Amino acid sequence: MGQLLSDLGAEVWKVERPGTGDDTRQWGPPFLKDDNAANTTESAYFLSANRGKHSICIDISTEEGGTIVRKLAQHADIVIENYKVGDMARYGLDYETLKKSKPDIIYCSITGYGQTGPMKAIAGYDMAIQAIGGLMSITGESDDNPGGGPQKVGVPIVDILTGMYSATGVISALLHRERTGEGQHIDMALLDVQVAVLANQNLNYLTTGTPPKRYGNAHPNIVPYQTFKTKDGSFVLAVGNDQQFKKFCAASRLTHLATDSRFATNTDRLNNRNQLIPLLDAHLAQETTEHWISILEPVGVPCAPINRLDQVFAHPQVIHRGMQINLSHSSGATAPLVANPIKFSATKIEYAKSPPRRGEDTKSVLKSILNFNDTDIRRLSDLRIIDTGT
């Protein structure tokens, strides 16, 4: 969330623990390598989520550290926190405390299960939320197939989507404040987001009362819409309507299927999935992935190869869209990063700051925002209330 807001022009102060910093700094290997191919102390995981942020290390558990952060909050538009419910109140950094001195503060709390309810005190982690929120029940091969069973998504999708929803909420709250002068508390729960993003699968259940099953790479509502094996690998065929099915049949020399009453409409194909898919499996396995892409793509049949990440970043379209960027890192290395996908017509996103080393901005922020001098900073550092980095 903070990285997204930074890309959109916000100055983001990331408050970390002195000495260790954010846990994800240690979530490696892999780590960023310097120009001599030696590891730095920055994990690839940390780099992925912290572009544009200023790292300040302050021990909020100390009275003086908490006071410093409260003073910084007076200069901020937004406070984002992801502590357990009630923890911030222990440090005098909760919404109710901060709004007394800054009534227009926008305060966003992100927890596993929200600020209310029977599970509010339980810590939430992405994989646990994917499980309890239903995503793993519809992800993975069917229990009837080899390797069947629940699977998590290959990235922390709930964390990512919660950040995106939270950013939307914060921007909306800023607009509300601009119009009314009123700040507010935004209560974001990973579980709420997970439930919300199940989209058509939610409605498949709510309209029938029957929980959806796992279909692996197949679609519960559209056929054929899945992966198919080819002579040299696999590809995705994503037929979204009856006209596309007719085009697919014509291009792939399966014209007879387009006129077969069992497969004429998507509803027919869905009801007769178990008859259609084996026919397609046998036919598509006779040619290479490149062959099928080369004849289906030009006639408007949605399809795609299944690329590894080395193929993704070498893809002409990805290169054209500028999705990989490189920023100079304060360690002396060059950090390879992924660009923000938003493309504005008038306001180009600028990437001015690489993911920070631990505490590298503590001194500059305290000096420029709170007018601390070198003596103040040295004293706080000696007391280990702050950390000015390594």
Side-chain angles (χ1 to χ4, degrees):
M1 175 186 178
Q3 176 169 276
L4 175 54
L5 293 175
S6 173
D7 286 346
L8 297 178
E11 180 175 331
V12 179
W13 306 328
K14 179 182 179 72
V15 180
E16 303 186 62
R17 290 185 302 274
T20 57
D22 187 326
D23 286 343
T24 65
R25 289 183 180 276
Q26 287 77 49
W27 286 9
F31 292 93
L32 176 67
K33 294 185 181 296
D34 62 23
D35 293 340
N36 296 316
N39 284 339
T40 69
T41 59
E42 304 304 320
S43 72
Y45 198 109
F46 179 83
L47 294 175
S48 74
N50 288 282
R51 178 182 60 244
K53 299 178 185 179
H54 294 75
S55 172
I56 55 176
C57 290
I58 303 173
D59 186 351
I60 65 171
S61 69
T62 64
E63 183 176 349
E64 194 166 5
T67 298
I68 292 170
V69 176
R70 280 190 292 277
K71 289 180 178 178
L72 286 172
Q74 299 307 301
H75 296 268
D77 293 301
I78 303 157
V79 171
I80 304 165
E81 60 92 7
N82 65 340
Y83 280 68
K84 291 181 182 177
V85 173
D87 275 4
M88 296 304 279
R90 293 163 48 196
Y91 310 124
L93 293 169
D94 56 305
Y95 173 66
E96 295 300 328
T97 299
L98 293 184
K99 80 169 185 177
K100 290 176 183 177
S101 54
K102 189 173 175 59
D104 67 347
I105 193 72
I106 293 167
Y107 190 105
C108 182
S109 296
I110 301 175
T111 57
Y113 300 95
Q115 300 292 304
T116 60
M119 295 185 72
K120 67 180 183 180
I122 297 176
Y125 284 83
D126 185 279
M127 187 173 179
I129 301 296
Q130 288 192 40
I132 195 172
L135 180 57
M136 291 178 67
S137 78
I138 58 171
T139 305
E141 286 294 338
S142 168
D143 291 334
D144 300 329
N145 293 337
Q151 290 286 320
K152 71 177 181 67
V153 177
V155 295
I157 192 67
V158 188
D159 288 346
I160 294 167
L161 290 173
T162 301
M164 295 174 69
Y165 269 100
S166 299
T168 301
V170 162
I171 291 169
S172 298
L174 281 170
L175 179 60
H176 174 77
R177 187 179 73 180
E178 182 179 324
R179 292 175 174 175
T180 67
E182 179 184 38
Q184 59 186 306
H185 186 195
I186 303 169
D187 173 9
M188 295 297 304
L190 298 179
L191 179 61
D192 295 351
V193 171
Q194 172 61 95
V195 173
V197 301
L198 292 186
N200 59 299
Q201 293 283 33
N202 279 333
L203 271 294
N204 287 344
Y205 164 68
L206 292 173
T207 57
T208 66
T210 302
K213 300 186 300 182
R214 286 185 293 276
Y215 284 96
N217 288 320
H219 198 288
N221 303 108
I222 311 171
V223 175
Y225 197 105
Q226 63 183 76
T227 57
F228 287 95
K229 290 186 181 299
T230 65
K231 194 173 184 178
D232 63 348
S234 300
F235 81 113
V236 165
L237 177 65
V239 172
N241 57 52
D242 297 337
Q243 188 61 33
Q244 288 176 359
F245 184 66
K246 291 177 182 177
K247 290 181 179 180
F248 162 72
C249 291
S252 58
R253 306 184 310 280
L254 293 170
T255 309
H256 61 288
L257 296 182
T259 57
D260 190 315
S261 61
R262 296 173 298 172
F263 313 132
T265 69
N266 183 67
T267 300
D268 296 328
R269 294 191 294 277
L270 196 64
N271 290 334
N272 296 291
R273 181 200 298 264
N274 292 338
Q275 297 173 56
L276 176 61
I277 298 305
L279 297 175
L280 300 186
D281 278 336
H283 185 72
L284 296 172
Q286 297 176 27
E287 301 286 354
T288 66
T289 295
E290 184 179 358
H291 169 81
W292 293 121
I293 300 297
S294 69
I295 68 169
L296 296 176
E297 197 173 71
V299 297
V301 176
C303 58
I306 301 170
N307 286 338
R308 303 182 308 268
L309 286 186
D310 58 332
Q311 296 169 313
V312 170
F313 285 101
H315 194 285
Q317 184 66 19
V318 175
I319 293 171
H320 174 81
R321 300 290 287 178
M323 288 307 298
Q324 180 179 339
I325 59 174
N326 296 290
L327 295 180
S328 296
H329 191 264
S330 59
S331 66
T334 298
L337 302 169
V338 180
N340 190 304
I342 301 172
K343 304 290 193 292
F344 292 105
S345 66
T347 50
K348 183 179 178 181
I349 291 176
E350 301 289 345
Y351 304 106
K353 194 175 190 305
S354 191
R357 287 188 296 172
R358 188 191 77 241
E360 72 174 37
D361 304 294
T362 305
K363 186 182 298 186
S364 62
V365 170
L366 294 183
K367 282 186 171 184
S368 63
I369 303 301
L370 300 183
N371 297 317
F372 281 28
N373 58 39
D374 288 335
T375 301
D376 297 326
I377 290 170
R378 191 161 45 248
R379 179 183 66 82
L380 291 166
S381 183
D382 289 344
L383 293 172
R384 298 184 179 179
I385 294 172
I386 68 170
D387 179 355
T388 58
T390 55

